[in-house]
Amino acid sequence: MRWWAAVEWIDQLIQKGLKCVDEVEVFYVVGRSISADLKQKKINLASASEDCGLGIRTIHKGRIGSSSTNDPHKWSECLDAAVASGHLATSLPWDGLPGAQAISHAPLTFDPTMKVEPASALALLEQMLEGAEEHAAEVTAGSAGLSTATVTLANSSGVHYTDSHTGVSLSLEAIHEQSTGSEFDHSSFMDKVDPFHVGERATFFAHESAGGKEISTGNYEILLSPIAYAELLGSVFIPALNGRNVHAGRSKFAQSLGEKVTDPLLSMYDDPLLPGASGSVSWDAEGMPTHRVDFIREGVLGAFAYDLKTAYRYGKTSTSSAVRGGYGGSPGIGHHNFVVDGKRSTIEDERVVYVHSVVGAHTANPMSGEFSVELSNAFWMEGGEFQEPIRSAMLSGNVFSMHNEIIGISPESRSLGSLILPSVKINKQRIIGK
Amino acid sequence: MGSITYYDLRHVTGQITHIDIDNGIFESAGTTFFNKAVLRVISNTGWGVLQIDNYQPRTGKKFDELLQKACTLSSITQEKVNLGDVSRGALAVPVMKEDPRSVSIEEKSAILAEIEKGAIHPSVVNRRANYIERIEQVEFSDSSGNEYAYEMCRSGFNVLAVASRNGNTQMGYEREHSIHGFNLRHHQDLGKKAADIAVALLDAKGAHGGKMKAILDPELAGVFAHEAVGHASEGDLIQEGNSVLKGKTGQKIGNELLTIVDDPGIHEFGFDPIDAEGVAVRRTEIIKNGIVNAFLHNRESLAAVGNGMAGHARGMPGEPPLVRMSNTFIEAGDATDSEIFEECKNGIFLKGSRGGQVDPGRGVFQFNAEYGYLVKNGECTGMVRDVSISGDILTTLHNIALCGNNRKMSPGYCGKGGQSVPVSDGAPTVLLCDAVVGGSGMD
């Protein structure tokens, strides 16, 4: 196999590493991508990237070292740096990297029809612009990108896995008077993105939000769109399910296992093997075979996420939740396809404040969960229809306690990167008018 | 390749050293290496850009092949890009007081551990300290024969303390980052400071939301300048029609005591000796005495929009540069702290920040304070936590009633278009009237 020949230095690296450390792990990614950017309605920039990264982890008597480089010819220096880094680490309980296991190697996030070429980006932008024509608003910026990458994970216990990924990303921004709207989409598969819809929604929100009215300060029933919900969930709630944060004392849920932490309506789980989802993967970043992890079942907290390092340290089992944000550093704890699920119902009948997105979600307090953010594209909604837009207001609350006030989740879910979320209807949320 | 009218190449190599201590355990420490380049070409119409990992410098035919690749990409562009005329010349990078490379990682680890131990307290359930040191060698050349090279080192640390009592979890967070060399020494007190704040916040109350007078400390007022004015003055957003400041040059949008500046040339954390397009960096007075004065530009937005200065192009290694802020600040006024508190009388005094965000087209911004104190009769009283302020770019600046005489800069990072660059923000203490404060306090 040509691919194998191209990376034969990986075996040399492992053999060399084993002369001075107990275990070696190699993560190697090569990829390429194409993107094109709009300035207003014209393509202003087209770019191509060729990416390459090598991450090495060494383990010796419980001391974990790591280093990375994007020059694979320098693997030997990189290995030395990883070994040196291990000398500085505190020795912790460690029970070995996984060996090779019989798992499916059929790619889960690879679309053989995807052409990573400028012409593909051009076609996507044209379709988005066509969709944008549906409403009277000016396009300010937009982007379409395609990528493909091959990832190799090898270790000294016999793992030598490769996997290929593809990705397509779209975004469009629009303005009407002093009202903005934006939309985006991402998938591993060309036929799962809808560029026309992205364009249409961007100009819809810009146009429909214009001429908004004020709202007076008070408590309201609100409907968070999957985007607004993702912004609040991702920066506060999900990190609290991370086993390392839990054992280190950085999680609100540290003492809550087995307790009710959300309304019984809700369940939350990571399903790494969900067909068609962008985060699907059959082995995690440490080579552990992936499986579903049920964090919250009908409101009750049942599990935290673990990688090997944290599991060994605290006497737990890896939940195959190791992920890498890139080739640099060590793998950490994350999720593959994080799903919020539960009993679905129509939640748009009664009059509610619909919140499309928020400004400033990253400023929420990750420990306490408290937040106060500005609303974006907020409307009164009734009978499933957008009614008067709301000009400007803040939403204040607590991401954790808010989950006890959820009174309904929508029939449809939306994929937002590695999150798969419904819209949620929430009781008694504080809105501060201006 | 006769159609290429411009190209530039920015090649950055470097290394990042980090140390991570979590509750006394050395989780990880070590060095990683990177090598990234970005080649930008204008041919016929717009930009063709190649982003190259592990770039090996090449000349002659091999370089021409890269140009041709970028040229082929640009064939799908539709908008004619023009570049503005600019000044050239690089500033000297300030000499470091102590080069971090001369300090062993063992010594760095030992000093960081002292800072982390400073956060030990009976109510503190987690302490975490990180050291980061980033050294970049930058080389630039363009088709007009401009060339420069420099080396920059940025280093610093963060320390976090998490306090917990009866299910109430709060955090204190302190950081120092610098371009002036190794800066871990003599900061052992910051671990204790983080712990003290986390513990004090256990007894703080949630603020009541509503309109009130707010005193912003220099760090928070700097974030205010960054979010309320800085982003909306970025020339690429003006060019796209995505900023409420478009067409507002010469208009008064704030109190006349208000002057807001971005200056990449001052020796703060956002310093650049020269920008990412090889343009000399200069002080740009965005707002001068309350009037919209000048936008931040790169060469393209300068040509397209005017009314401002180029020299504000910045990019992460291997990424095409965007128009970015660097060191952004509100100029000091002449009010003393006691005058500001007296004038405020009743309101809220807000300190520190976890950042903010702006929608420049809509003109709405939000920024967050880590904590604050209720002000009653000009005196600080009870502590409050997690307070945010939101505002409207075109009206809120009129409500700045007083600027103090004590400007201070704080380092941080700013994200835009998927790129994060080092910046500093600063201001004196500022009194903001009719601030829209978000808080869920109900009692």
Side-chain angles (χ1 to χ4, degrees):
Chain A
M1 245 165 76
R2 273 180 64 234
W3 171 251
W4 182 260
V7 293
E8 63 185 6
W9 52 267
I10 289 179
D11 280 344
Q12 292 171 25
L13 189 165
I14 290 171
Q15 291 314 314
K16 187 182 172 199
L18 287 178
K19 290 179 183 160
C20 51
V21 291
D22 297 340
E23 292 178 279
V24 182
E25 179 187 75
V26 179
F27 180 86
Y28 182 55
V29 59
V30 282
R32 62 191 185 88
S33 64
I34 289 281
S35 73
D37 296 347
L38 294 173
K39 268 219 182 328
Q40 299 183 331
K41 285 187 184 172
K42 288 185 173 172
I43 299 175
N44 163 280
L45 181 151
S47 74
S49 74
E50 293 165 24
D51 311 310
C52 170
L54 167 67
I56 301 173
R57 194 157 65 137
T58 58
I59 301 108
H60 192 64
K61 302 198 187 317
R63 297 176 193 272
I64 301 177
S66 69
S67 184
S68 67
T69 175
N70 51 19
D71 182 354
H73 296 108
K74 292 198 175 147
W75 62 262
S76 187
E77 288 97 318
C78 185
L79 176 65
D80 293 343
V83 172
S85 132
H87 294 318
L88 299 160
T90 305
S91 178
L92 295 168
W94 178 262
D95 206 17
L97 289 165
Q101 303 198 30
I103 49 176
S104 163
H105 292 284
L108 295 171
T109 54
F110 182 76
D111 180 351
T113 70
M114 192 178 294
K115 293 191 166 52
V116 183
E117 291 168 5
S120 312
L122 174 64
L124 290 166
L125 289 174
E126 284 172 347
Q127 291 169 66
M128 278 200 285
L129 289 173
E130 198 184 322
E133 291 296 321
E134 294 288 301
H135 308 282
E138 301 299 319
V139 172
T140 54
S143 183
L146 302 110
S147 64
T148 179
T150 299
V151 169
T152 300
L153 180 76
N155 72 28
S156 49
S157 296
V159 161
H160 197 130
Y161 301 153
T162 67
D163 196 5
S164 293
H165 306 282
T166 48
V168 51
S169 298
L170 304 171
S171 66
L172 200 76
E173 295 174 33
I175 192 163
H176 177 62
E177 295 168 359
Q178 204 181 310
S179 155
T180 53
S182 66
E183 188 51 280
F184 58 91
D185 205 354
H186 171 83
S187 178
S188 298
F189 302 91
M190 284 302 277
D191 63 2
K192 281 189 177 285
V193 293
D194 186 346
F196 185 92
H197 181 73
V198 169
E200 188 272 331
R201 286 287 97 182
T203 52
F204 169 84
F205 281 111
H207 184 263
E208 293 297 312
S209 298
K213 300 280 184 295
E214 304 295 347
I215 185 169
S216 52
T217 300
N219 291 342
Y220 294 86
E221 261 185 18
I222 65 166
L223 183 63
L224 293 182
S225 82
I227 294 174
Y229 185 36
E231 287 168 332
L232 294 171
L233 194 75
S235 56
V236 174
F237 199 98
I238 295 176
L241 298 170
N242 173 319
R244 181 169 169 194
N245 289 341
V246 167
H247 293 281
R250 286 191 297 268
S251 165
K252 180 93 172 166
F253 293 146
Q255 309 298 328
S256 304
L257 207 58
E259 292 178 8
K260 176 182 170 295
V261 294
T262 72
D263 188 278
L265 191 64
L266 290 181
S267 292
M268 300 189 190
Y269 55 87
D270 185 10
D271 187 352
L273 298 168
L274 208 57
S278 315
S280 290
V281 61
S282 45
W283 37 272
D284 79 352
E286 294 176 308
M288 295 293 287
T290 55
H291 57 84
R292 174 168 158 150
V293 184
D294 285 281
F295 297 116
I296 293 168
R297 278 186 175 148
E298 296 177 349
V300 177
L301 180 63
F304 297 120
Y306 291 96
D307 60 1
L308 284 173
K309 178 180 174 180
T310 310
Y312 289 148
R313 182 166 168 186
Y314 296 105
K316 304 288 177 184
T317 307
S318 164
T319 51
S320 66
S321 300
V323 297
R324 276 180 175 272
Y327 57 86
S330 292
I333 298 172
H335 59 264
H336 309 292
N337 296 307
F338 188 94
V339 182
V340 174
D341 206 350
K343 187 169 177 290
R344 311 286 178 142
S345 59
T346 307
I347 57 174
E348 301 166 341
D349 284 351
E350 292 161 16
R351 190 166 161 88
V352 290
V353 174
Y354 169 89
V355 180
H356 184 65
S357 62
V358 301
V359 178
H362 70 284
T363 67
N365 185 326
M367 302 300 155
S368 70
E370 282 162 337
F371 69 88
S372 43
V373 294
E374 174 68 29
L375 304 184
S376 252
N377 301 120
F379 294 85
W380 283 103
M381 179 179 260
E382 196 169 351
E385 299 287 326
F386 290 107
Q387 300 187 331
E388 316 89 279
I390 293 165
R391 196 184 80 82
S392 184
M394 291 185 94
L395 172 68
S396 287
N398 184 301
V399 180
F400 296 110
S401 59
M402 186 177 95
H403 277 83
N404 289 310
E405 302 291 338
I406 291 181
I407 50 177
I409 68 176
S410 64
E412 306 289 330
S413 280
R414 175 170 171 175
S415 292
L416 297 156
S418 60
L419 305 179
I420 299 172
L421 305 178
S423 298
V424 293
K425 186 173 172 181
I426 315 173
N427 223 342
K428 288 189 294 190
Q429 295 300 297
R430 187 80 175 160
I431 287 181
I432 294 138
K434 292 184 179 175
Chain B
M1 285 194 299
S3 60
I4 292 180
T5 53
Y6 174 82
Y7 71 77
D8 64 24
L9 176 79
R10 189 168 190 267
H11 181 205
V12 186
T13 54
Q15 63 186 63
I16 301 167
T17 298
H18 84 282
I19 304 165
D20 176 6
I21 308 177
D22 193 348
N23 269 351
I25 302 286
F26 281 83
E27 288 284 341
S28 64
T31 302
T32 61
F33 309 92
F34 64 92
N35 170 352
K36 288 169 179 283
V38 57
L39 173 69
R40 306 189 306 163
V41 164
I42 299 177
S43 74
N44 300 319
T45 46
W47 293 106
V49 176
L50 281 185
Q51 297 174 243
I52 309 159
D53 272 6
N54 185 27
Y55 177 74
Q56 306 300 326
R58 55 198 92 177
T59 52
K61 212 173 156 188
K62 292 217 158 150
F63 187 70
D64 289 346
E65 283 169 15
L66 286 182
L67 288 176
Q68 188 55 53
K69 260 187 168 174
C71 195
T72 305
L73 277 166
S74 76
S75 65
I76 63 162
T77 61
Q78 301 155 335
E79 186 179 63
K80 174 101 179 113
V81 171
N82 296 307
L83 300 181
D85 290 332
V86 291
S87 326
R88 302 290 179 178
L91 301 174
V93 174
V95 177
M96 289 187 279
K97 289 174 188 140
E98 182 178 14
D99 189 330
R101 283 169 289 197
S102 67
V103 182
S104 72
I105 195 163
E106 287 78 8
E107 187 179 357
K108 288 168 184 162
S109 300
I111 304 172
L112 186 70
E114 287 302 311
I115 295 173
E116 194 251 9
K117 278 184 202 152
I120 292 175
H121 182 283
S123 294
V124 168
V125 293
N126 181 251
R127 317 176 306 271
R128 191 165 189 185
N130 291 281
Y131 171 77
I132 184 100
E133 165 193 314
R134 187 180 179 99
I135 298 164
E136 293 185 352
Q137 289 89 27
V138 181
E139 289 178 359
F140 175 92
S141 59
D142 71 15
S143 51
S144 310
N146 296 297
E147 282 188 9
Y148 66 82
Y150 67 88
E151 180 180 89
M152 275 289 289
C153 170
R154 287 184 167 88
S155 65
F157 67 95
N158 313 315
V159 56
L160 169 78
V162 179
S164 187
R165 187 199 300 148
N166 303 329
N168 177 8
T169 307
Q170 298 294 335
M171 60 189 255
Y173 183 70
E174 294 296 321
R175 58 189 178 275
E176 286 287 343
H177 293 267
S178 174
I179 61 164
H180 297 288
F182 188 59
N183 74 337
L184 268 182
R185 300 188 197 280
H186 316 302
H187 282 304
Q188 282 84 340
D189 55 319
L190 286 186
K192 182 175 185 307
K193 190 175 172 197
D196 288 345
I197 291 170
V199 172
L201 280 170
L202 291 173
D203 295 316
K205 291 191 168 146
H208 293 259
K211 271 192 186 178
M212 61 191 79
K213 282 184 182 167
I215 300 170
L216 315 182
D217 84 336
E219 181 182 347
L220 186 63
V223 175
F224 169 76
H226 181 106
E227 300 298 345
V229 172
H231 279 296
S233 73
E234 290 165 351
D236 49 354
L237 299 180
I238 306 272
Q239 188 186 354
E240 290 162 8
N242 191 18
S243 166
V244 289
L245 295 185
K246 183 186 176 183
K248 296 283 192 298
T249 305
Q251 289 189 27
K252 190 160 188 289
I253 64 161
N255 188 323
E256 64 192 22
L257 56 78
L258 184 68
T259 292
I260 299 181
V261 175
D262 188 86
D263 189 350
I266 59 172
H267 292 172
E268 296 289 346
F269 198 59
F271 171 80
D272 275 333
I274 186 165
D275 93 342
E277 298 184 308
V279 177
V281 294
R282 291 223 208 117
R283 172 184 164 100
T284 301
E285 292 184 342
I286 304 167
I287 305 288
K288 192 170 185 180
N289 302 326
I291 292 169
V292 179
N293 179 62
F295 298 129
L296 310 180
H297 283 307
N298 60 15
R299 294 189 64 190
E300 178 186 348
S301 70
L302 176 67
V305 175
N307 296 339
M309 265 182 274
H312 296 281
R314 310 183 72 195
M316 283 172 70
E319 300 285 338
L322 305 172
V323 180
R324 303 302 298 264
M325 283 174 267
S326 53
N327 304 304
T328 313
F329 55 90
I330 300 175
E331 283 283 25
D334 52 13
T336 62
D337 271 5
S338 62
E339 284 166 351
I340 290 173
F341 276 83
E342 210 168 291
E343 180 68 24
C344 174
K345 197 156 187 196
N346 294 307
I348 194 164
F349 172 44
L350 299 175
K351 288 173 75 86
S353 183
R354 282 192 295 273
Q357 198 180 344
V358 62
D359 180 343
R362 193 174 149 217
V364 169
F365 61 90
Q366 179 268 11
F367 62 103
N368 149 280
E370 288 176 305
Y371 60 99
Y373 301 89
L374 296 176
V375 178
K376 286 182 183 163
N377 283 321
E379 303 282 334
C380 280
T381 60
M383 194 178 194
V384 291
R385 63 186 189 225
D386 294 306
V387 189
S388 295
I389 289 185
S390 83
D392 187 309
I393 294 172
L394 296 179
T395 59
T396 305
L397 301 181
H398 290 293
N399 298 336
I400 291 188
L402 285 175
C403 285
N405 56 10
N406 57 341
R407 176 165 73 83
K408 181 175 176 289
M409 304 297 289
S410 299
Y413 284 85
C414 168
K416 176 180 172 183
Q419 296 190 45
S420 172
V421 296
V423 296
S424 74
D425 299 328
T429 305
V430 159
L431 175 64
L432 181 64
C433 296
D434 282 334
V436 179
V437 172
S440 50
M442 303 291 282
D443 53 351

